[in-house]
Amino acid sequence: MAVREILIHPDDRLREIAGQVEFPLSEEVKQIIRDMADTMYDAPGVGLAATQIGVALKIAVTDTVWRKEEVRHDGDEPGGVRDLKVWINPEFIWKSDEMASWEEGCLSVPEVYGDVSRPAAVTLRWQDIDGAVHERDFEGFEAVALQHEFDHLIGKLFIDYLSPLKRRMITKKMKKLYKQGN
């Protein structure tokens, strides 16, 4: 298990645009994916984009089923249901006109939450770890989680959807937290 440091806003690396992943995957990229999963579960979170650990590649992991409070610890092995998904080179090929508002949080903006309005349903094209291309429709919480994570890959944070005043207040709070941590 390798848990990596999660970058905290306003770290400039969170605003980087991720690059395309080439196939076949190198051992280094496979290790990055394993580390991302370990980091997401350890945080705990339901998603993590590569840019959040300082890797500017179009990779994200999600698990919208798993919740830390549902996991029991009997010795070294956690219990509970996990549904890890790896998204490589994801792209939305359709987004609904119907919008849905969800309260979002982010591992890179700790202890901050805000209501964000996003398309209620999406169609996604992505590659798996073998390079196979998939296309599927998503709605509800999973659609929101995917949009949130893939925003990271284009340098966007959920706070960018909030009012300018709220964004400034959050950034000020995060700068203070960031200075304390460095």
Side-chain angles (χ1 to χ4, degrees):
M1 180 168 153
V3 175
R4 297 209 187 184
E5 177 186 0
I6 297 172
L7 303 178
I8 303 297
H9 170 69
D11 191 306
D12 291 337
R13 293 172 289 177
L14 289 168
R15 298 302 186 168
E16 286 185 40
I17 307 296
Q20 200 76 1
V21 176
E22 300 297 324
F23 285 89
L25 297 181
S26 68
E27 285 306 312
E28 179 184 5
V29 171
K30 290 177 184 177
Q31 186 61 51
I32 288 167
I33 293 168
R34 288 189 292 272
D35 292 353
M36 288 174 64
D38 291 344
T39 303
M40 177 188 70
Y41 286 123
D42 183 71
V46 296
L48 186 73
T51 50
Q52 291 179 272
I53 60 167
V55 176
L57 290 174
K58 289 183 180 177
I59 305 170
V61 295
T62 62
D63 188 338
T64 56
V65 173
W66 179 84
R67 300 286 190 278
K68 188 165 185 143
E69 59 271 9
E70 295 172 3
V71 176
R72 67 178 191 287
H73 294 278
D74 302 340
D76 293 334
E77 287 298 313
V81 176
R82 290 190 177 189
D83 187 29
L84 178 68
K85 293 192 171 89
V86 178
W87 314 94
I88 302 172
N89 299 325
E91 62 177 311
F92 292 110
I93 55 176
W94 174 82
K95 292 182 178 184
S96 69
D97 291 333
E98 180 186 346
M99 304 296 279
S101 185
W102 292 76
E103 183 179 64
E104 294 187 26
C106 182
L107 297 175
S108 291
V109 191
E111 300 178 25
V112 173
Y113 301 91
D115 289 330
V116 176
S117 185
R118 296 182 184 272
V122 297
T123 302
L124 179 70
R125 181 181 297 134
W126 76 97
Q127 290 175 276
D128 63 23
I129 59 173
D130 297 317
V133 176
H134 301 271
E135 201 171 288
R136 189 173 137 208
D137 297 329
F138 297 92
E139 59 185 23
F141 180 67
E142 197 164 23
V144 169
L146 293 173
Q147 291 174 81
H148 175 108
E149 294 310 324
F150 303 158
D151 270 355
H152 282 292
L153 302 178
I154 59 171
K156 197 168 188 176
L157 301 173
F158 88 95
I159 62 172
D160 296 339
Y161 293 93
L162 305 178
S163 72
L165 176 61
K166 189 160 188 174
R167 230 180 6 255
R168 281 193 301 274
M169 289 171 52
I170 291 167
T171 300
K172 185 177 179 180
K173 176 182 176 182
M174 292 296 109
K175 282 181 180 178
K176 185 176 180 181
L177 180 68
Y178 187 70
K179 285 181 185 177
Q180 291 172 352
N182 287 326

